[in-house]
Amino acid sequence: MVCGYGPKRIIGLMDTQSITTAPISDNTAPLPSGIVRLEHLGVIKVTGSDNAAFLHGQLSNDFVNIDAHSARLAAFCSAKGRMQASFIGHRRDNQDLLLVCSADLLAATLKRLSMFVMRAKAQLSDASGEFLLYGAIGEATQTLATGSHAPWASCQDGHTSRINLYPANQMPRQMWIIPAGEPAPLSPTLPAGCWALSEALSGVATVNAAVIDALVPQMLNFESVGGVNFKKGCYPGQEVVARSQFRGTLKRRAYVLECASSLALAPGQEVYSSLDPSQPCGLLVQSAPGLTGRAVCIASLQTSAAQHGGLSVGAPDGPALTVLPLPYLLAQDI
């Protein structure tokens, strides 16, 4: 049984042109169901009576109105609007706020965020050792207490927090946050690399150390997947992010691509287009081996280059990249 995207058109690019894509490989087939430890992620805990207000003033999403039933995707930006980190935020026990981020930038991000606490009643700490993070796919996911199937809906069921993520190949996915010392989940364990593949196929990237300070949130489609709230008020980089959105100056978007080679791809590699092979047209953000050995990746690309095609990674004559259909609508098309 194939549960893929099939032929479709990606619309909503900045110049209203579209990209025609075709079904590619078994990377559009259903993924295995099961769970896996997410050891590449870490947790920052924010305590204190001002924890929500503090994060509200630092991140791209609304944290004042966060509750136990809704998680938040958010960016932490520089004054120039460039992403320093991305978080999945969750309120636990109606008190502490947890920020899940890439482990390779947690220490630097924690240090930088802590600089802005000043007089706020908020304390930040690395809580990675206090919690175990799991990813669940397909039949291993569990119905939330709220009954919601929407991305970023969440609940706390006993000691376990569950957060709905964007699906991959139409299969549901969740993140589970469990206190250290609690029994491990009993569902079947996923094959190695399957979660990384599901992340790439979901089209929702996690900022990592290789791409710090390279992208504004819209260059990863964050405004289209619930990562930016344009009504929440000021935060570092807010003016740049808003200007990119409302003045039509954005020329880059995130794309899901498949690589013709089975060679390992790495975050931070440059992408080239035959439209102008003299200079890179984008940046690879994350990747994973595919079901058939052909890697799948998320890259932030110039929309003109993505429309033209002739894409390659690492060099103008590097392994070829083909655009897969984006698995969600861009905000301007909804």
Side-chain angles (χ1 to χ4, degrees), residues 238-250:
Q238 181 264 341
E239 291 185 3
V240 176
V241 175
R243 185 163 61 246
S244 298
Q245 186 72 17
F246 299 115
R247 291 189 179 179
T249 59
L250 186 69

Side-chain angles (χ1 to χ4, degrees), residues 170-254:
Q170 303 178 14
M171 297 187 70
R173 302 189 311 132
Q174 291 177 339
M175 176 184 290
W176 297 354
I177 305 174
I178 304 176
E182 291 290 316
L186 298 177
S187 299
T189 301
L190 287 170
C194 190
W195 183 260
L197 176 59
S198 80
E199 289 277 87
L201 289 169
S202 78
V204 182
T206 300
V207 174
N208 53 69
V211 297
I212 284 179
D213 210 37
L215 308 164
V216 299
Q218 292 98 323
M219 292 179 184
L220 288 182
N221 302 344
F222 264 42
E223 88 295 347
S224 297
V225 292
V228 181
N229 185 319
F230 291 102
K231 299 179 180 180
K232 64 173 289 290
C234 295
Y235 56 91
Q238 181 264 341
E239 291 185 3
V240 176
V241 175
R243 185 163 61 246
S244 298
Q245 186 72 17
F246 299 115
R247 291 189 179 179
T249 59
L250 186 69
K251 302 299 181 183
R252 290 182 180 235
R253 283 288 188 186

Side-chain angles (χ1 to χ4, degrees), residues 259 265-266 269-272 284 311-321:
C259 183
L265 304 181
Q269 284 184 293
E270 293 177 327
V271 178
Y272 291 81
L284 195 151
L311 300 169
S312 61
V313 62
D317 60 350
L321 296 172

Side-chain angles (χ1 to χ4, degrees), residues 92-297:
R92 186 171 178 84
D93 296 326
N94 293 318
Q95 296 180 359
D96 299 342
L97 285 165
L98 304 182
L99 302 176
V100 178
C101 65
S102 181
D104 65 357
L105 49 68
L106 186 148
T109 303
L110 176 59
K111 181 178 179 180
R112 182 171 176 80
L113 261 178
S114 298
M115 293 171 56
F116 298 104
V117 172
M118 299 182 185
R119 297 181 181 179
K121 295 178 181 179
Q123 297 81 41
L124 286 74
S125 62
D126 181 351
S128 302
E130 298 178 30
F131 298 96
L132 301 178
L133 304 176
Y134 289 89
I137 298 176
E139 295 177 358
T141 61
Q142 298 188 20
T143 302
L144 299 184
T146 60
S148 176
H149 299 282
W152 314 128
S154 67
C155 75
Q156 187 168 326
D157 183 6
H159 297 294
T160 299
S161 298
R162 295 189 175 88
I163 300 169
N164 283 348
L165 306 177
Y166 269 75
N169 286 2
Q170 303 178 14
M171 297 187 70
R173 302 189 311 132
Q174 291 177 339
M175 176 184 290
W176 297 354
I177 305 174
I178 304 176
E182 291 290 316
L186 298 177
S187 299
T189 301
L190 287 170
C194 190
W195 183 260
L197 176 59
S198 80
E199 289 277 87
L201 289 169
S202 78
V204 182
T206 300
V207 174
N208 53 69
V211 297
I212 284 179
D213 210 37
L215 308 164
V216 299
Q218 292 98 323
M219 292 179 184
L220 288 182
N221 302 344
F222 264 42
E223 88 295 347
S224 297
V225 292
V228 181
N229 185 319
F230 291 102
K231 299 179 180 180
K232 64 173 289 290
C234 295
Y235 56 91
Q238 181 264 341
E239 291 185 3
V240 176
V241 175
R243 185 163 61 246
S244 298
Q245 186 72 17
F246 299 115
R247 291 189 179 179
T249 59
L250 186 69
K251 302 299 181 183
R252 290 182 180 235
R253 283 288 188 186
Y255 296 86
V256 179
L257 305 106
E258 186 178 61
C259 183
S261 171
S262 61
L263 297 177
L265 304 181
Q269 284 184 293
E270 293 177 327
V271 178
Y272 291 81
S273 169
S274 59
L275 183 66
D276 181 6
S278 66
Q279 57 186 345
C281 66
L283 189 68
L284 195 151
V285 180
Q286 64 189 71
S287 68
L291 296 173
T292 59
R294 295 163 62 94
V296 177
C297 61

